Amino acid sequence: MAQWTADRWSENGFQARLDEYVTYLNYPVSHSLALTYPNGSVFQATLQEAVLLEDETTSYPNRIPTFNGYSFTGNATAEYVYVGRGQVADFEALVSLNVPLQGKIALEKYGGPFRGLKVKNAALYGMIGCILFTDPGDDGNITEANGYAPYPEGPARNPSSVQRGSVQLLSIYPGDPTTPGYSSKQDSPRADKSPVVPSIPSLPISYAEAIPLLRALDGSGIPGSKVNRTHWVGALNVTYSTGPPPGAVLSMSNVMRDATASIWNAVGIINGMSQDEVLVIGNHRDAWIVGGAADPNSGSAIMVELSKAFGKLLATGWKPRRTIVLCSWDAEEYGLVGSTEWVEEYINWLSTSAIAYLNIDVGDSGKSPSLSSTPELGTIATSIMKKIIWPTMPNETLYDTWFAESDGEVGILGSGSDYTAFLHNGISSLDMGSDQGPDDPVYHYHSNYDSYHWMSTYGDPGFRYHAAMGQYLSLLAYHLSTDVIIPYDLPAYTTALRSYYDELLSTINGTSGTVDTSELSAAISKSAPTKSWRWGFTSAGGLPDREFYKHVVNAPGIDTGYAPTTFPGITEAVEAGNFHRAAEWVARTSLGIRKAADVLKT
């Protein structure tokens, strides 16, 4: 597929090539899960998704087993405890309720923090294994309980669907776990991977196979309704009690094969008139399953169509003012590996030439448009929305739908897709897509049912939303690559900083400590950004205990993995009660903002 992608771009006038990296990955060998009841009877989970006659990709002989990338090889046999979403606050609630955790297996539902942090948190509280499941309570209004038939007969979740995914600790650093801070080549030195991969085994399962485990907890420990934690109780017909159930034992096994394997990024280039200004546009190509119709192939298809549009412009003699680079990333699913290694290899060039990175991951999994960016790109991004007709209603624009659902707030970037390495090296970044809304057919994320049949039957019949997202990305890329003046909204960054500052004060005021933030306030007041202003936001040493994340304004939360934290060095120190460190990061963050503002003077 890497060469196929490069060939399509070449056909459309791009100079295309493949960039190879040699990275650490691991692959599933075997797995098992069994619940032994107090009476000696056994429930043996299949750990498989059902084969559907209507959906041919579900029966492919080379379909991918259910597993977690970068998961730990190991066995565990013990009592088990339901721990909600596996957030630190969930575990703290269990500790306060005297629910035993040490030496138990964790049963966790998806939602909230990134799955790798769920496994990490379980290990931190002394648990020896982790089972993850998707609860239909997180599926919006399209559920069997509301009268909808499950896929393939209807738009609700198929009960056997399983969410695969990586369990790398992305909030520490993404990319190849064995080459932190430098690109992975054949002869690259290899570091210890243990800081960013779990130390206990984990398995993803379907809600159909989670029900017997949850039901066995009924009447044991604390009922879910009394745990008093948000999102603890889901939509299944169980009490979501904590357990452990006396006499019931869970046995799990997860065996993985470590490998050092080649991955390939496809890269396509149109040289612009200004060689020192470059627009990078990317989407990843790898998937956890054979299909991947939404993730990532909706974005990949849009990238190919974008290349056709620019190819037709090239045929007229047009040339962009700025160089355009298309990237099809490999191994994104394991931990943003392809994009991180590429940025690490080309950072000297990118840091002086890249004017922006545009990311489209899941281009279309529903009718709800999403947009997150660094503040200076928000105005151009939303203004282009007004030029795109959105298929939901006649004469309604993409902007109309997005504004109605977002109240006009452009999201803040944290991590979770390929913009991460660009953002945290000071490059203006934007992430776009169209997601499942509460009344859309259920999108089977990282499941065999993310297939062409699902997409063409339920997700986007006629592919109208694909087309609209393609028009949007192409037009945005055209303006960023061609406008005489790069269309940054520079004052928007100062406005955003003030908003983040207010949030920081609220966080500090919610604690018993004090932090003098006057230096930060003064730095924000004098900020006045230029093109080079972005580089001031990167701290040479990175954030505490996670050096990859250099951006002093926003980063993925240490206990979320994806969701952003603003002024992370300060905020997370305050939340941890380390006010000395918070004061240190007030100074470092203020210095970054002052450095950025000083660029204007020169």
Side-chain angles (χ1 to χ4, degrees), residues 58-75:
T58 66
S59 62
Y60 280 10
N62 61 342
R63 63 189 183 274
I64 309 300
T66 57
F67 79 107
N68 290 141
Y70 288 143
S71 58
F72 181 84
T73 290
N75 304 319

Side-chain angles (χ1 to χ4, degrees), residues 79 184-185 295 358 376 408 425 468 565 567 593:
E79 294 181 322
S184 297
K185 299 293 185 175
D295 184 9
L358 306 182
E376 76 280 11
N425 280 286
T565 296
F567 295 135
I593 295 173

Side-chain angles (χ1 to χ4, degrees), residues 425-499:
N425 280 286
I427 297 169
S428 299
S429 300
L430 179 147
D431 186 47
M432 67 178 70
S434 188
D435 305 330
Q436 176 193 331
D439 297 313
D440 290 337
V442 170
Y443 164 48
H444 297 80
Y445 179 57
H446 290 180
S447 159
N448 280 342
Y449 309 133
D450 180 8
S451 64
Y452 180 83
H453 181 271
W454 176 82
M455 181 65 76
S456 60
T457 305
Y458 296 105
D460 187 11
F463 296 90
R464 297 177 302 152
Y465 292 89
H466 280 69
M469 287 304 300
Q471 292 165 0
Y472 175 58
L473 177 59
S474 299
L475 192 55
L476 179 58
Y478 176 83
H479 280 279
L480 284 167
S481 64
T482 305
D483 287 2
V484 175
I485 298 174
I486 301 171
Y488 295 145
D489 182 356
L490 300 179
Y493 224 132
T494 301
T495 301
L497 290 175
R498 291 184 180 125
S499 173

Side-chain angles (χ1 to χ4, degrees), residues 580-593:
H580 176 76
R581 175 177 280 181
E584 173 193 343
W585 274 88
V586 167
R588 293 184 68 171
T589 304
S590 302
L591 175 62
I593 295 173

Side-chain angles (χ1 to χ4, degrees), residues 171-173 424 539-551:
S171 57
I172 304 299
Y173 64 83
H424 294 284
S539 170
L543 294 175
D545 303 319
R546 45 188 189 138
E547 292 79 8
F548 175 89
Y549 293 102
K550 306 178 184 72
H551 209 290

Side-chain angles (χ1 to χ4, degrees), residues 280-296:
V280 186
I281 310 168
N283 154 263
H284 75 91
R285 188 183 62 258
D286 61 306
W288 288 115
I289 61 293
V290 172
D295 184 9

